[in-house]
Amino acid sequence: MTPQRIGVVGLGLIGGSLACRLHDAGCEVLAWNHTTRPYAGAEARGIRCLPTIEALSAARPDVLVLCNPLKAMPETLAALAGVLDERTTLTDVGSVKGMVRDQVEAAGLGERYIGAHPMAGNERSGWSAADPALYDDALWAVTVREDSDYRRFLAVAGMITGGLCGNRMIVVDDRTHDRAAALISHMPHVVATALVNELVTDPERDIATALAAGSWRDMTRVALTDPDRTRAMVEEDETNVSRLLRDVSSRLLAVADALDGVGRDAALTRFFAEGDPFRTFKAAQADIHAHAPERAVELPEHGWQTALTDLARHGEHIVRFETSRTVVVRELSHIG
């Protein structure tokens, strides 16, 4: 179930890092990028770069991973629609899954598609930032539907959990993924940007910057990302991000009201205590990670999608496959 030949579209930070990791693990990696700028460096790393996306498709990779910007997805899919070999499974690394699936369906490639999103990245961009270590101990979200093909799913899962990436994964539906990604990534990017915007417009910004230490660095690191890239990501998940920003704004306004004297003690106590379950979990996370037991789960022939999404909702990550129908899982994240 481990693919032997993988195609990568887009050699930026995520795609370039994935291509390098797959090559280092012994996989044949083929790539196409919308410009040839990364080709010399990529070919020096053993990645075979092709002149067109049609040529990449004609090479018949087992899995084709779309790592291009989401705004380029319709054009990329249109180019693949008439030429993608039937045996090739299509996946991607985008941080929004519902929109991509709709675009894949519109291109007539829905039956070949399994969504994927590696929880890996940093504020840098481009081939020059590519680093196979970016995927160290990464968790991937893989998205399926009720009609997803199990053979296609295994091809993507084999790339993620096998000897190529050596990563963990959970399986969810598109809607659940997009809501969760908005909560832990897309909305926080906006909040981090708001903090930076507040700093640069404050008259004491120079003194504040001089005093800034670890907490400021950690809270604002993602605000260093290319702002156009962040804006695109936020707009692609606009409904979820808008709702969360309104929720967070309500919480902050309640604190401001409390500090102005409106129900101060009770409101502040409630605000700072509400996150205790997460603090407790984080305090124990390292021990959970080191000692979490593993168990094997047999997947049914029918309803395997539900069986896998139920595992994710119970905080169990897939760490490997023992057989094509047997997954080994470990409980690594569960907030009581």
Side-chain angles (χ1 to χ4, degrees):
M1 55 183 276
T2 301
Q4 302 302 308
R5 173 182 287 185
I6 296 178
V8 175
V9 173
L11 290 172
L13 170 68
I14 300 299
S17 298
L18 179 61
C20 290
R21 190 175 185 96
L22 293 171
H23 172 268
D24 292 351
C27 182
E28 180 184 4
V29 182
L30 317 174
W32 174 78
N33 194 69
H34 74 290
T35 72
T36 60
R37 280 196 303 270
Y39 280 10
E43 289 176 342
R45 287 286 276 107
I47 298 161
R48 180 183 163 200
C49 298
L50 297 172
T52 65
I53 196 169
E54 291 81 5
L56 177 59
S57 178
R60 301 177 69 193
D62 300 315
V63 176
L64 183 60
V65 189
L66 303 179
C67 304
N68 51 279
L70 288 182
K71 65 181 180 181
M73 194 66 75
E75 181 181 357
T76 300
L77 291 168
L80 289 170
V83 298
L84 188 65
D85 190 271
E86 193 280 332
R87 70 186 293 275
T88 299
T89 294
L90 188 65
T91 189
D92 72 316
V93 295
S95 66
V96 179
K97 300 268 69 85
M99 183 183 72
V100 173
R101 188 176 296 276
D102 289 342
Q103 293 170 345
V104 170
E105 290 287 345
L109 297 170
E111 292 182 356
R112 309 181 198 183
Y113 174 70
I114 299 293
H117 178 202
M119 304 310 296
N122 56 42
E123 67 277 12
R124 302 173 65 197
S125 60
W127 167 259
S128 62
D131 180 1
L134 190 74
Y135 287 86
D136 285 355
D137 198 34
L139 174 70
W140 294 59
V142 173
T143 62
V144 298
R145 299 192 315 188
E146 290 183 359
D147 60 351
S148 292
D149 183 88
Y150 192 70
R151 179 176 62 86
R152 304 282 189 187
F153 166 74
L154 280 182
V156 176
M159 178 186 75
I160 294 169
T161 65
L164 297 181
C165 287
N167 290 162
R168 299 168 288 123
M169 58 179 274
I170 61 172
V171 179
V172 293
D173 61 83
D174 299 317
R175 181 175 178 273
T176 298
H177 169 275
D178 289 353
R179 287 171 60 90
L183 182 61
I184 54 85
S185 177
H186 306 159
M187 176 271 290
H189 272 74
V190 179
V191 174
T193 301
L195 291 174
V196 168
N197 293 349
E198 189 69 20
L199 173 73
V200 299
T201 58
D202 193 282
E204 304 301 344
R205 60 182 177 270
D206 293 329
I207 296 299
T209 301
L211 294 172
S215 61
W216 176 260
R217 178 199 63 219
D218 294 344
M219 287 189 294
T220 59
R221 179 186 63 80
V222 295
L224 304 179
T225 306
D226 176 359
D228 290 335
R229 192 173 101 193
T230 299
R231 175 180 172 175
M233 175 184 69
V234 168
E235 289 181 331
E236 286 149 2
D237 200 10
E238 59 188 9
T239 300
N240 289 318
V241 175
S242 174
R243 174 183 57 81
L244 288 168
L245 287 174
R246 295 182 191 283
D247 290 347
V248 170
S249 296
S250 296
R251 293 178 187 275
L252 296 176
L253 286 172
V255 173
D257 288 342
L259 292 173
D260 287 338
V262 181
R264 182 187 186 101
D265 290 343
L268 291 180
T269 297
R270 184 168 57 252
F271 176 80
F272 285 105
E274 190 173 8
D276 281 348
F278 182 72
R279 297 184 186 97
T280 300
F281 162 73
K282 290 298 290 186
Q285 189 175 34
D287 186 61
I288 293 172
H289 191 30
H291 301 101
E294 295 182 350
R295 69 185 184 97
V297 177
E298 294 290 330
L299 300 178
E301 182 176 354
H302 302 289
W304 59 269
Q305 299 93 330
T306 300
L308 288 172
T309 56
D310 284 347
L311 292 175
R313 291 197 174 280
H314 286 88
E316 293 182 297
H317 300 180
I318 298 169
V319 294
R320 65 182 180 274
F321 282 71
E322 286 192 343
T323 72
S324 63
R325 286 284 176 183
T326 306
V327 295
V328 176
V329 300
R330 184 186 303 154
E331 182 176 327
L332 293 176
S333 59
H334 187 64
I335 300 175

